[in-house]
């Protein structure tokens, strides 16, 4: 049976929409892209300016200060030294800078959206399906529209990374605020708190551990996306992996992959500890 | 003067509360309303006043609408119909900002499960209301430390709620409410989550505290013993409606309906109990031969009495002296008590039925002595112990 139903032009619609945006607005985004790229380069230059050994010591001290765990500090020291030894120092700094900048943007965008979704039922109902959509759409797809707007390079990488990694911050900020027991919210109301006081004195402090878990997830997602974004010229460790794939050098690919693993474990352990400490302050012997 | 006036207040849960209120006014019952229109009645037309400075206990089983009603008083729950006046101001007419001001100024609330903020220290919890008001940190910390001392929690300022027992947590809850120095305390099953011994202590302390602070207290309870012990008046609710309003004596002696009767059945032993069952031991008496004004005064001071029974060696009652008279006598330099003894005091025999005791105790300015046929002093009854004894006799 051959029923001839014409294809619904979803793809064509999206393409036309993006083309329209591209031809009318891309001069703005391209200009922004130049500015942001320059800023990123300054940050990376700043990081490379620090001698690697000093950098390693600073990170080790910082991880000890934040987590108070010997294991994490040792891991920082050994892990980063291994990276230095493998000759992956500068790609690692690139990756680290991209991840941190993308996370920063994700937080700037995600925290307010999460708060708004938690406090406003309509916004909640719109936000949640959009987040589901964003998280199930394959990450590669976000790379394509980034190019016409921002050109190949770091800014396009950050743009697609932010889109990919922002959902956990929004979701868990929202969840954390909604999880505050209604009796406590009622108590805050009974003492005449206005919505702002309620948010800053009760809801956000109580939601902090959950929000930290969201930020942790965001960092991990950002890291994985920054690697994928090597395909559109983000360089860094992902770039090394990408190079190794194209040249079929499994050894080099493994080394670069190892570098990513080290960075991921480091970021995860440090952030987890920070979140947990906050949590323990809140509920000491629970 | 009435501090709070509650006039025909309804709270209906459902899609069209206004219509449901009308149906109720037209005589539909709660169950019919639920089955036919899917509206649940929280509060179904309640009218009463709360007087300045009294403890009013709103009592009822779960689902009777008592917690909903108390939340209507500060509009944590918006009533569907009716009017609530606080100091003559209709609170339904206030906008959001005015309502917040009212809550900050007039209301302190204490919750069943304490509702302390777990991320704040005890002192930070206690000063929450003041912080909301915008008081500066040093001033509010001072007040917080004061009220915490008032509820017996000095030295715990920097602990966290999770480090404290239930009883201590609820003291913090009370301190948080008192810190604002509100006119009205709303206590929603405040002691229900505590174990019985601690609950009883907290009740005693609340009564003591009330003697000092003289707030208007609306206390929600499902426990008749608690209601009898604390309440100057009791409002008994069932199915969102008021069944009876009255003093503990009224409720016990003249139950308005079968429902109240059943409720107080266990407690209502007034007819079989006699003075013998409800009297307390006399902790101290003055001896007419041995005691002079000075030693009598010391006995009163040690026991926190303002009056003292005077007996002979064989424990027969002579009369009573007051602390005032005794200290006058001491100043005069009297050696014995004969001049200041009040011999003409009202007493009862151990067989006097408890139901008559209420009337005798009403307005009696001194404790009621219980003496047997040989005039020997057997015990003493005061209003509080009578109610407590009745309540305990029931459980």
């Amino acid at each position: 049976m051959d029923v001839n139903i014409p294809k619904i032009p979803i793809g064509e619609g999206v393409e036309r929409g993006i083309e329209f945006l591209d031809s009318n607005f891309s001069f703005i985004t391209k200009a922004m892209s130049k500015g942001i790229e320059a800023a990123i380069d300054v940050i990376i230059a700043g990081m490379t300016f620090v001698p690697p050994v000093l950098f390693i010591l600073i990170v080790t001290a910082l991880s000890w200060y934040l987590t108070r765990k010997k294991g994490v500090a040792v891991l920082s020291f050994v892990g980063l030294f291994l990276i230095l030894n493998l000759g992956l120092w500068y790609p690692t700094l690139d990756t680290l800078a991209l991840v941190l900048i993308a996370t920063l943007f994700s937080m700037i965008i995600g925290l307010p959206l999460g708060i708004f979704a938690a406090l406003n039922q309509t916004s909640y109902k719109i936000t949640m399906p959009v987040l589901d959509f964003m998280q199930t759409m394959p990450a590669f797809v976000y790379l394509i529209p980034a190019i016409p707007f921002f050109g190949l390079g770091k800014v396009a990488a950050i743009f697609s990374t932010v889109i990919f990694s922002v959902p956990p911050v929004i979701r868990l900020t929202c969840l954390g605020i909604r999880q505050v027991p209604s009796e406590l919210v009622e108590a805050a109301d009974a003492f005449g708190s206005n919505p702002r006081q309620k948010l800053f004195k009760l809801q956000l402090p109580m939601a902090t551990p959950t929000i930290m878990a969201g930020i942790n997830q965001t960092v991990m997602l950002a890291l994985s996306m920054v690697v994928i974004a090597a395909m559109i010229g983000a360089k860094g460790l992902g770039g090394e992996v990408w190079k190794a794939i194209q040249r079929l050098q499994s050894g080099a690919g493994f080394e670069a992959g190892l570098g990513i693993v080290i960075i991921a474990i480091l970021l995860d352990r440090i952030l987890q500890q920070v979140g947990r400490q906050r949590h323990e302050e809140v509920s000491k012997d629970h | 003067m009435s501090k709070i006036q509650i006039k025909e207040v309804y709270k209906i849960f459902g899609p069209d509360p206004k219509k449901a209120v009308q149906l109720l006014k037209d005589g539909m019952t709660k169950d019919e309303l639920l089955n036919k229109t899917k509206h649940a009645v929280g509060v179904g037309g309640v009218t009463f006043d709360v007087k300045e400075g009294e403890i009013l206990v709103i009592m009822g089983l779960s689902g009777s609408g008592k917690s909903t009603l108390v939340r209507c008083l500060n509009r944590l729950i918006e009533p569907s119909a009716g009017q609530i006046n606080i100091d003559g101001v209709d609170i339904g007419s206030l906008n959001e900002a005015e309502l917040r001001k009212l809550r900050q100024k007039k209301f302190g609330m204490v919750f069943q499960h304490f509702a302390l903020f777990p991320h704040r220290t005890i002192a930070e919890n206690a000063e929450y209301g003041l912080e909301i008001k915008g008081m500066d940190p040093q001033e509010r910390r001072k007040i917080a430390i004061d009220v915490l001392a008032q509820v017996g929690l000095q030295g715990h300022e920097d602990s966290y709620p999770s480090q404290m027992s239930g009883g201590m947590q609820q003291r913090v809850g009370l301190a948080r409410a008192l810190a604002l120095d509100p006119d009205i305390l709303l206590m929603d099953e405040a002691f229900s989550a505590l174990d019985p011994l601690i609950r009883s202590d907290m009740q005693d302390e609340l009564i003591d505290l009330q003697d000092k602070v003289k707030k208007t207290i609306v206390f929600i309870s499902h426990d008749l013993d608690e209601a009898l012990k604390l309440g100057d008046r009791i409002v008994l609710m069932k199915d969102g409606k008021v069944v009876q309003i009255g003093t503990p004596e009224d409720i016990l002696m003249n139950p308005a309906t079968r429902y109240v009767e059943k409720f107080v059945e266990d407690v209502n032993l007034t007819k079989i109990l006699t003075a013998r069952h409800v009297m307390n031991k006399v902790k101290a008496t003055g001896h007419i031969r041995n005691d002079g004004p000075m030693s009598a005064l010391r006995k009163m001071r040690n026991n926190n009495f303002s009056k003292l029974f005077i007996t002979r060696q064989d424990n027969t009652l002579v009369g009573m002296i007051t602390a005032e008279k005794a200290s006058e006598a001491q100043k005069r330099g009297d050696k014995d008590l004969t001049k200041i003894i009040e011999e003409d005091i009202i007493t009862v025999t151990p067989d006097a039925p408890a139901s008559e005791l209420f009337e005798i105790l009403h307005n009696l300015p001194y404790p009621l002595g219980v003496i047997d046929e040989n005039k020997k002093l057997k015990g003493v009854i005061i209003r509080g112990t009578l109610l407590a004894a009745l309540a305990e006799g029931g459980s």
Side-chain angles (χ1 to χ4, degrees):
Chain A
M1 215 165 71
D2 196 15
V3 184
N4 197 7
I5 301 174
K7 175 181 173 292
I8 303 171
I10 294 177
E12 287 82 346
V14 170
E15 218 156 271
R16 217 163 297 142
I18 290 193
E19 258 165 38
F20 171 79
L21 290 173
D22 181 27
S23 52
N24 289 288
F25 297 104
S26 68
F27 69 96
I28 303 176
T29 51
K30 285 254 171 63
M32 275 169 55
S33 172
K34 285 253 166 57
I36 296 170
E37 179 119 39
I40 296 168
D41 285 340
V42 168
I43 292 169
I44 294 176
M47 287 165 83
T48 47
F49 183 72
V50 182
V53 178
L54 181 61
F55 194 98
I56 291 172
L57 289 176
I58 291 172
V59 173
T60 306
L62 196 69
S63 63
W64 164 249
Y65 174 76
L66 288 174
T67 64
R68 303 274 159 195
K69 290 214 165 162
K70 263 185 226 143
V72 180
V74 170
L75 191 78
S76 305
F77 187 76
V78 175
L80 291 178
F81 238 100
L82 183 61
I83 288 174
L84 183 62
N85 179 264
L86 293 174
L88 292 169
W89 186 253
Y90 294 106
T92 302
L93 289 187
D94 276 354
T95 297
L96 212 52
L98 288 183
V99 167
L100 295 180
I101 292 167
T103 304
L104 189 70
F105 275 108
S106 292
M107 281 165 67
I108 292 171
I109 297 165
L111 287 174
L113 281 178
I115 292 168
F116 192 58
L119 303 180
N120 181 301
Q121 194 59 30
T122 318
S123 144
Y124 179 78
K125 281 188 181 148
I126 297 169
T127 307
M128 286 306 140
V130 171
L131 291 184
D132 291 338
F133 184 91
M134 283 168 72
Q135 285 189 293
T136 38
M137 181 64 81
F140 296 93
V141 179
Y142 294 126
L143 297 176
I144 310 166
I147 300 168
F149 288 113
F150 298 102
L152 284 171
K154 296 195 176 79
V155 180
I158 286 179
F159 172 81
S160 45
T161 303
V162 168
I163 291 180
F164 182 67
S165 64
V166 79
V169 186
I170 301 178
R171 215 184 267 284
L172 286 163
T173 301
C174 178
L175 179 73
I177 290 175
R178 288 186 156 235
Q179 269 177 345
V180 175
S182 60
E183 209 187 14
L184 296 186
V185 177
E186 195 178 43
D189 278 333
F191 287 99
S193 323
N194 63 32
R196 197 171 47 85
Q197 289 169 325
K198 222 165 36 181
L199 183 66
F200 286 105
K201 291 182 196 299
L202 174 66
Q203 289 162 318
L204 281 182
M206 296 269 309
T208 304
T210 316
I211 295 175
M212 286 305 297
I215 291 173
N216 190 357
Q217 280 188 31
T218 289
V219 171
M220 292 303 121
L221 285 184
L223 189 59
S224 68
M225 188 63 190
V226 161
V227 173
I228 294 170
M231 284 194 268
I232 55 169
K235 301 209 182 98
L237 286 172
E240 298 301 311
V241 175
W242 192 234
K243 249 190 275 173
I245 294 174
Q246 285 168 331
R247 297 175 194 167
L248 270 177
Q249 299 169 321
S250 46
F254 183 80
E255 282 176 2
L258 192 63
I260 291 166
V261 170
I262 290 170
I263 295 296
I265 292 177
L266 267 184
L267 287 173
D268 178 63
R269 291 297 178 275
I270 293 174
L271 282 168
Q272 247 182 33
Q273 280 304 319
V274 173
R276 199 172 296 153
Q277 270 174 4
R278 296 266 175 111
H279 189 69
E280 275 159 12
E281 253 167 51
V282 167
S283 53
K284 287 247 153 67
D285 45 8
H286 265 214
Chain B
M1 157 145 190
S2 295
K3 190 79 186 168
I4 308 174
Q5 290 168 302
I6 301 164
K7 291 182 196 161
E8 280 295 295
V9 168
Y10 288 82
K11 176 64 196 180
I12 311 289
F13 299 98
D16 188 0
K18 288 268 176 293
K19 198 181 107 204
V21 168
Q22 197 49 50
L23 288 172
L24 276 182
K25 281 183 178 167
D26 294 342
M28 195 179 257
T29 68
K30 182 183 171 172
D31 290 337
E32 280 173 342
L33 191 72
L34 184 61
N35 291 333
K36 285 187 191 154
T37 68
K38 303 277 171 248
H39 283 81
V41 179
V43 178
V46 165
T47 303
F48 64 86
D49 286 8
V50 185
K51 292 179 204 148
E52 175 120 40
E54 76 172 339
I55 300 185
L56 182 94
V57 180
I58 302 179
M59 216 202 91
L61 301 176
S62 55
S64 61
K66 54 194 191 308
S67 285
T68 309
L69 178 61
V70 81
R71 279 168 176 68
C72 288
L73 297 184
N74 59 358
R75 274 177 63 191
L76 282 178
I77 292 178
E78 206 68 50
S80 309
Q83 193 181 338
I84 292 168
N85 295 344
I86 308 284
D87 289 326
V89 177
D90 174 10
I91 61 163
S93 67
L94 303 178
N95 64 30
E96 284 288 322
E98 289 167 335
L99 182 62
R100 282 199 292 271
K101 277 269 169 307
L102 179 88
R103 286 172 179 168
Q104 289 170 9
K105 223 172 89 187
K106 300 245 159 120
F107 287 106
M109 193 158 181
V110 184
F111 297 85
Q112 178 171 9
H113 300 292
F114 324 134
L116 298 180
F117 303 127
H119 60 291
R120 296 177 144 241
T121 64
I122 298 311
E124 284 167 353
N125 264 285
E127 66 192 36
Y128 182 81
L130 302 169
E131 190 179 326
I132 292 301
K133 261 181 160 171
M135 186 182 279
D136 73 67
Q138 274 155 12
E139 203 176 332
R140 71 187 188 225
R141 180 54 59 104
K142 225 177 122 248
I143 296 176
I145 288 171
D146 274 0
V147 285
L148 284 170
Q150 231 179 74
V151 298
L153 285 178
Q154 47 278 75
H156 292 279
E157 288 82 10
D158 297 323
S159 311
Y160 282 86
S162 59
Q163 299 167 314
M164 312 194 101
S165 68
M168 285 163 96
Q169 289 194 33
Q170 194 55 304
R171 283 163 204 264
V172 181
L174 193 56
R176 181 174 63 180
L178 287 172
L180 283 156
D181 195 23
D183 297 356
I184 302 167
L185 272 182
L186 304 177
M187 305 187 68
D188 179 23
E189 302 245 16
F191 303 148
S192 301
L194 305 175
D195 66 61
L197 277 177
I198 293 173
R199 191 190 311 163
S200 173
D201 283 350
M202 292 291 283
Q203 290 162 352
D204 292 337
E205 279 174 43
L206 181 67
I207 293 170
D208 285 349
L209 196 68
Q210 168 70 350
D211 284 340
K212 283 179 226 144
V213 296
K214 296 264 180 278
K215 304 288 180 198
T216 304
I217 301 180
V218 179
F219 195 104
I220 306 294
S221 178
H222 64 257
D223 176 5
L224 186 61
D225 295 354
E226 186 168 70
L228 291 173
K229 188 167 169 185
L230 295 176
D232 293 315
R233 289 192 305 147
I234 296 173
V235 174
L236 231 142
M237 286 184 70
K238 183 187 182 239
D239 293 343
K241 289 196 165 152
V242 171
V243 190
Q244 187 172 7
I245 303 178
T247 61
E249 286 90 337
D250 284 340
I251 304 265
L252 281 177
M253 306 302 294
N254 309 305
T257 66
R258 280 289 305 156
Y259 178 75
V260 184
E261 229 170 83
K262 277 199 71 130
F263 219 105
V264 301
E265 208 160 59
D266 296 336
V267 180
N268 200 356
L269 302 163
T270 47
K271 291 185 181 92
I272 37 173
L273 287 179
T274 65
R276 189 197 312 279
H277 301 108
V278 299
M279 70 190 181
N280 283 4
K281 263 213 187 103
V282 184
K283 273 195 276 178
T285 58
H287 296 289
I288 186 129
R289 285 202 16 215
N290 305 344
D291 283 325
M294 204 169 11
S295 59
L297 272 175
R298 193 170 49 239
K299 282 183 180 172
M300 283 190 251
R301 213 169 25 242
N302 289 344
N303 291 290
N304 250 336
F305 290 168
S306 60
K307 318 225 160 50
L308 189 67
F309 286 115
I310 303 300
T311 55
R312 298 195 182 84
Q313 280 316 60
D314 61 354
N315 204 26
T316 53
L317 184 67
V318 186
M320 177 182 276
I321 61 167
T322 65
E324 256 173 40
K325 288 264 179 70
S327 62
E328 281 169 23
Q330 191 193 1
K331 273 181 209 145
R332 278 200 306 270
D334 288 3
K335 289 275 174 283
D336 57 30
L337 298 166
T338 42
K339 274 190 208 155
I340 56 170
I341 291 181
E342 181 90 34
E343 294 194 358
D344 190 20
I345 57 173
I346 295 175
T347 57
V348 292
T349 63
D351 299 326
S355 53
E356 285 173 16
L357 297 175
F358 282 121
E359 240 163 274
I360 299 173
L361 278 169
H362 189 65
N363 287 334
L364 193 72
Y366 47 83
L368 182 62
V370 182
I371 55 171
D372 64 9
E373 61 271 24
N374 299 319
K375 291 213 125 198
K376 287 197 176 161
L377 183 62
K378 289 294 185 191
V380 61
I381 301 172
I382 54 177
R383 183 173 169 274
T385 58
L386 174 58
L387 286 171
L390 288 177
E392 272 160 32
S395 55

